[in-house]
Amino acid sequence: MSRQSNRATDNKKMNSELFTLTYGALVTQLCKDYENDEEVNKQLDKMGYNIGVRLIEDFLARSSVGRCHDFRETADVIAKVAFKMYLGITPSVTNWSPAGDEFSLILESNPLVDFVELPDNHSNLVYSNLLCGVLRGALEMVQMAVDVRFSQDTLRGDNVTEIRMKFIKRIEENLPAGDE
Amino acid sequence: MADEALFQFLHSEIIQYVNSAETGESENGRCVSKLENMGFRVGQGLIERFTKDTPRFKDELDVMKFICKDFWTSVFKKQIDNLRTNHQGIYVLQDNKFRLLTQLSAGKQYLEHAPKFLAFTCGLVRGALSNLGVKSIVTAEVSVMPACKFQVMIQKM
């Protein structure tokens, strides 16, 4: 009996490791393809964006979350539902700006960086930058333009990983363009 | 624990990236190689973690059965549907509903793109086998999606 439950947890764990290891292989490949860290960061953001615009549909289909009424609600849904669903972690939402348009997600642990150490010659690499792109892309599909960046990163020596999200503006629904 | 959907999205995006990075005549071949190599490294790491506490395998067939059952279930949530061998080092693993192809098409549409969607997994299997002490060449063939066959040729060391 206990052996079976071990296997079930093993399966889940291995699935998580599949993602983590694949992400690592991707970053490694990008570092080979691009000469500097800035380029890699940009590419990760772009790929994340492409994933985000598709992920949002998957998210909306699988969670029973309705429309968010304000940015605070959005923050809660991102932290408590989305992160939980996709990465199995629940970051905390803190550091709200006085205007209520900017907040931080604090991640105690980051599944993407299991087994990862940054070598010295890649000090400018934002390893998990894919996440920023994903968040940006997903929110754009629900009419929100946001700016997302890492302000703290355990890989670069900080105690926690902190993602800063800033609301830029609401995107008007674009009606299909006429013949151009 | 990372969700399966996330891996599928990432896998698709990686294929997109590698595809656009390779331009030229031999692009498909280089694309497939790059993906296979990435899969190889991931397979090596994955199998090490997974079989940390597994007892030694009796023989080559035992290893292949492990790949077909435990490994495939863990990675793709189902077992290999059919394993055939000529008992001389060639194994054919058949998956009738390969998860990384279900999004692509059901039938023959986009058949020319299928190799790119199989390359990573070929590498994954080759990497896993490699760290289990089995040297191999892994290829895949598909005629009607989402079914596909992975062919493993054991290389005598």
Side-chain angles (χ1 to χ4, degrees):
Chain A
M1 226 27 199
S2 76
R3 187 159 193 268
Q4 270 184 328
S5 65
N6 269 350
R7 189 41 66 76
T9 357
D10 278 348
N11 277 350
K12 269 203 115 177
K13 208 160 72 100
M14 208 172 97
N15 220 272
S16 164
E17 295 182 357
L18 172 65
F19 178 76
T20 301
L21 289 172
T22 304
Y23 186 71
L26 170 66
V27 179
T28 307
Q29 185 65 47
L30 288 175
C31 289
K32 277 200 218 130
D33 290 344
Y34 292 99
E35 284 163 11
N36 62 62
D37 293 345
E38 265 317 303
E39 282 301 313
V40 178
N41 293 341
K42 272 208 283 224
Q43 190 63 37
L44 282 173
D45 182 76
K46 187 166 137 196
M47 291 176 76
Y49 177 85
N50 291 342
I51 291 177
V53 305
R54 291 156 60 202
L55 193 90
I56 186 73
E57 274 177 36
D58 182 78
F59 175 69
L60 292 173
R62 285 162 58 185
S63 67
S64 44
V65 182
R67 196 167 266 285
C68 288
H69 295 104
D70 57 30
F71 204 44
R72 275 182 192 268
E73 230 186 295
T74 308
D76 277 342
V77 168
I78 292 174
K80 296 186 186 133
V81 189
F83 263 87
K84 185 99 210 286
M85 184 186 288
Y86 290 110
L87 290 173
I89 53 169
T90 310
S92 44
V93 179
T94 60
N95 285 356
W96 279 98
S97 63
D101 63 347
E102 202 172 345
F103 68 91
S104 290
L105 288 165
I106 309 278
L107 284 67
E108 299 290 317
S109 71
N110 180 358
L112 269 63
V113 309
D114 287 341
F115 328 129
V116 176
E117 255 178 40
L118 276 189
D120 293 330
N121 58 334
H122 285 289
S123 49
N124 284 328
L125 184 65
V126 184
Y127 184 85
S128 310
N129 214 31
L130 193 97
L131 287 183
C132 295
V134 174
L135 288 165
R136 194 166 59 84
L139 287 176
E140 192 174 299
M141 290 298 110
V142 288
Q143 270 66 54
M144 272 184 264
V146 293
D147 181 69
V148 190
R149 57 185 176 84
F150 277 88
S151 46
Q152 288 193 77
D153 192 350
T154 48
L155 280 188
R156 289 154 90 177
D158 301 309
N159 287 338
V160 290
T161 298
E162 181 181 353
I163 300 177
R164 194 91 187 124
M165 291 189 67
K166 185 177 166 73
F167 179 81
I168 312 259
K169 63 176 176 158
R170 188 151 280 279
I171 304 173
E172 294 311 317
E173 295 249 15
N174 283 332
L175 295 170
D179 286 16
E180 303 204 297
Chain B
M1 305 294 117
D3 190 73
E4 184 196 359
L6 211 48
F7 170 71
Q8 291 206 20
F9 280 118
L10 184 64
H11 179 254
S12 289
E13 196 50 38
I14 291 177
I15 293 175
Q16 267 301 103
Y17 165 72
V18 175
N19 204 21
S20 59
E22 293 297 336
T23 46
E25 285 152 20
S26 57
E27 47 121 296
N28 218 28
R30 275 214 293 272
C31 198
V32 165
S33 282
K34 255 190 178 172
L35 290 164
E36 209 264 355
N37 280 327
M38 286 177 74
F40 181 76
R41 291 191 52 168
V42 176
Q44 283 184 309
L46 212 54
I47 203 78
E48 260 179 32
R49 309 272 307 163
F50 194 38
T51 58
K52 217 164 34 137
D53 300 317
T54 312
R56 226 178 169 59
F57 293 105
K58 284 194 317 237
D59 54 25
E60 194 176 274
L61 185 60
D62 220 26
V63 173
M64 292 312 298
K65 284 194 197 160
F66 177 81
I67 298 282
C68 293
K69 296 211 276 227
D70 302 69
F71 186 74
W72 218 258
T73 303
S74 193
V75 179
F76 299 113
K77 301 291 192 309
K78 64 183 284 292
Q79 295 188 6
I80 282 284
D81 295 303
N82 198 329
L83 171 67
R84 293 200 336 263
T85 176
N86 64 357
H87 294 291
Q88 281 170 33
I90 301 203
Y91 297 84
V92 179
L93 287 65
Q94 185 162 325
D95 190 328
N96 291 329
K97 206 171 164 193
F98 187 52
R99 275 185 119 76
L100 298 179
L101 283 180
T102 50
Q103 301 290 317
L104 191 57
S105 97
K108 295 197 179 254
Q109 203 185 21
Y110 301 126
L111 200 59
E112 67 276 17
H113 294 291
K116 287 184 280 224
F117 281 80
L118 299 167
F120 185 85
T121 306
C122 287
L124 203 69
V125 174
R126 187 168 68 89
L129 287 172
S130 163
N131 270 17
L132 289 175
V134 177
K135 192 155 175 245
S136 63
I137 296 181
V138 183
T139 53
E141 86 182 33
V142 57
S143 50
V144 181
M145 297 193 247
C148 67
K149 295 193 184 141
F150 293 91
Q151 180 164 288
V152 179
M153 279 187 294
I154 310 287
Q155 313 282 287
K156 287 298 173 218
M157 300 216 256

